[in-house]
Amino acid sequence: MSAILEVNNLKIYYYTPSGVVRAVDGVDFYLRRNESLCVVGESGSGKSTLAMGIAGLIDPPGRVVDGEARFKNELVVSKNSSNVQKYLGKQITLIFQDPRSALNPVVKIGDQITEAIMHNLNLDHERAYKIAYELLKKVEIPDPERVLNSYPHELSGGMAQRVVIATAVSTNPELIIADEPTSALDVTIQSQILKLLKHIVKSQGTSLIFITHDLSVALEICDRTIIMYAGKIVEEGDTKEIFEKPLHPYTTALLSSIPKIGFKTHKLPNIPGEPPQMTNPPKGCRFHPRCPFKFDLCDKLEPSLINVSNSRRVACLLFSSHR
Amino acid sequence: MGDPCVKIPGLVRELLRRRLGLIGVSIVVTISIISILAPLIAPYDPLEQRLEERLMPPSLQHLMGTDKLGRDVFSRVLYGGRISLFIALSSVGLAVLIGILIGLVSGYFGGWIDNLFMRITDIFLAFPSLILALAIAAMLKPGMLNVIMAISLSTWTQYARVARAITIQVKNEPYIEAIVSVGASGARILLGHIAPMVIPQVLIQAMINMGGAILTAAGLGFLGFGVPPPTPEWGLMVSEGRDIIQSHWWISTFPGLMIFLSVVGFNLIGDQLRDILDVRYR
Amino acid sequence: MTILNYVIRRIFYMLFVIWGIATIVFFITRILPGDPVGAILGPQAPQDVVDKIRREYGFDKPIYVQYIDFLTKIVRGDLGRSIATNRPVIYDIGERFPATFELATSALIIALIIGIPAGIVSALRKDKGIDHALRIVSLFGVSMPVFWLGLMLLLVFYYMLGLLPGPGRLDPYIKEPPRITGLLTIDSLLTGNIDAFFNALSHLILPAFVLGYLSSAYIARVTRASILETLRQDHVKFARSKGLPRNKILTRHIIKPSLIPIVTIIGLVYGWLLEGAVLTETIFGWPGLGSYLTRAMIYMDYDSIVGGVMVVALIYSVINLIVDILYVYIDPRIRYG
């Protein structure tokens, strides 16, 4: 198995005046080449922090407290070191949630793309400009010349995100980390962008980590999915399998809260209870206060991720021998 | 602009929670108390001239020395606090009043009234405020009331702006439409609903600007357009010692120091208030 | 709207504001209680002299006629005649303006050189030792009375230590360079008078520093706030994710977007420098616009006051105009918005 990214027991905490936020609290997973992995969770689950952590973009008061991340077997993120910078922009690139704020409002689009190309591929401005032009065509922007000469506020959300994607793809990276790239877009545009991203990723053979709060989006774009809750992974496996047969109660709840068109919906079921306080998460299994299947051990023992099959892992006491 | 609803008690609590806010409040409270208690603390009458003791350097009898007319500088500084703080407070108060009135009316009625007031505001804003205050004060006879008027006329515009912005924002809230449809009169809406939103915000703005008001008042006093002598006003006292500064440094130094300290206190508070409000609107 | 459109509208707006100021100034001087001529000449003056002066200055005409006269004169550039110097106000102001300009510009240069880097460093090293130190220095800067600081520095550096020269622009024994620009430093350089140059420069140091330090405090604070605001934006993270080098990120992605509020404050600061000039010129014996205005106000020299105030208002308005136009260049969102 050629894993392009391995994450072991990664812990990223934020030291705030109101307490220590254990945003990512011991996460392990791996990502293969050419594979698309989704990280799904509510806001506050730690999914964005995980993405930023792998990219080495965690700023104080947050820091990596324990664990490591390895890219192509090289240690890039750990408590004491951060080597990922040398890959950023070249083999590892990022796509952000709100394209309008990810782009510098006072610099032309063309310059923002070419600066990345010039720096990372060591080319002069003319060649970089030509490549930028081609890239914009590849992301299906109809008038690349005009867009290259525009400023970010002149573009629609969808166009802006295409520009961001073009930038992320410009150096033919091996790994793209996309942090909720469609959440800030209109629903109609969302699926267009998703399709585009999927197509690009598959055709270039790029590995993808895709962060989202929407399981149905995960189904569309990802081979494998990780479900995160309160800083921990609660379920992991093949996306279709998880969708058809969820194991963790949280996953089940997530799935049932997706409105399905064509089905009679009586009420939109909400997951009862509040998201956990990340400065003081619940003891034992962090989901237990909201879990319909909770039993007496759940608030005492923290479940670890165990292999239920060779492609599935769950962190729930229902599936362990403690039952 | 964010939520116009601001809770004053919570704000004060937050202010005191921060170290710098606490320091600022302590300084301001201390100076205020000293000023209020001046008649009890001051060892001498600030106007009393003892010509045989003139121009004496600081000593145990005269903590801050004596001035040209033998008046005790320390006592004058203490009483000066009352004068300077009173002027600053009143001028800010008056400016706030004018500003709120104009802002409320302008924002609520809109149309040509709004236009008119906004143009007037722009014209006032086209002046550095000290120069405007100076021009007004110079035209009027010297006196406490005139100084206060001069300063407030040069600073009301910012409060009008804030008041107007909030008025417009609140006016467009759906619940105001609801009240109007039930037949509430304009005055009632203005006073009962909009004013409570406007006043705290403007007061906070005023607090942030208190330091500047003290500096402007002192500046006017220094130039001779503030309260007339022999009233002890800090700015005036600095200018009184100006021409003999090289040999009698204490006459100008101490009053100026007091201006500096009080402004630091108010500015600390103002800075913290700004930080707190900033965080809220994120 | 196009840039040209915007500029034209802005200029008209400025003219309107200046008209408004002229009107307000006029009414302040004419409407307020007190007989101006009596105040100028004193109670001893014989009645016929008073009447003559009154006719000369047009105080005997009805208000609206005076107003029209006033406006037409201003448009022609005739700001009246100073009672104190008995010369046209325009002439007096023209003579004194370069001194203030030299002072204000030197102060602004100092303020920018100190203030902007201080603000940037403070923002980038937020909450560390250097940030706290710089913020305290800034706080002192905006809290100090300008006239007091000037006086204190004069006391220490001139009277006590004798390191820097005292009041005035030039020592009396130095030959003053011929008047080309009115700026002593430039003029002495242009005529090769090195002694005068260094002497003028040394006289400039204290007042320029006083004004410069105080304005740098404002600039540093605004710069810090603006940069912190920019750092919060995602585009900085995106730039980092592109693997760009630190200095590129700093200049293009941090500083450039932060420039807008900084440019505004520079406009405000220049206006403030005019105010500060009023307070410092008296202390440093600087024969500029500020001390002229102060003296005019003390002696109720009406035409001088009006002329001086109008000129100050004009300068301030022009600066604001320049700032607004600069805005359009710095912020592309305004250009097309």
Side-chain angles (χ1 to χ4, degrees), chain B residues 90 97 99 150 160 166 186 228 234 246 255 259 263-264:
Chain B
S90 318
L97 205 61
I166 298 182
W234 286 340
Q246 64 266 45
I259 302 174
V263 176
V264 166

Side-chain angles (χ1 to χ4, degrees), chain B residues 56-77:
Chain B
M56 287 171 51
S59 61
L60 281 175
Q61 279 138 325
H62 295 282
L63 288 174
M64 292 183 181
T66 56
D67 67 2
K68 280 183 218 171
L69 296 176
R71 299 175 293 199
D72 177 43
V73 175
F74 180 57
S75 307
R76 283 176 68 78
V77 161

Side-chain angles (χ1 to χ4, degrees), chain C residues 45-122:
Chain C
Q47 189 57 37
D48 52 328
V49 178
V50 170
D51 287 337
K52 173 165 168 276
I53 299 287
R54 203 188 290 273
R55 262 197 312 278
E56 223 174 83
Y57 275 84
F59 286 147
D60 53 336
K61 304 209 192 90
I63 275 281
Y64 58 88
V65 175
Q66 288 189 43
Y67 180 56
I68 308 272
D69 278 344
F70 174 74
L71 283 183
T72 38
K73 283 209 188 117
I74 287 191
V75 168
R76 283 211 311 257
D78 176 6
L79 290 171
R81 187 170 279 272
S82 162
I83 295 176
T85 64
N86 206 27
R87 284 189 308 202
V89 168
I90 270 274
Y91 186 79
D92 281 344
I93 291 183
E95 212 179 50
R96 309 197 105 198
F97 177 70
T100 302
F101 181 74
E102 191 177 32
L103 182 58
T105 311
S106 321
L108 187 64
I109 294 175
I110 294 179
L112 289 175
I113 293 181
I114 301 179
I116 295 188
I120 295 178
V121 167
S122 221

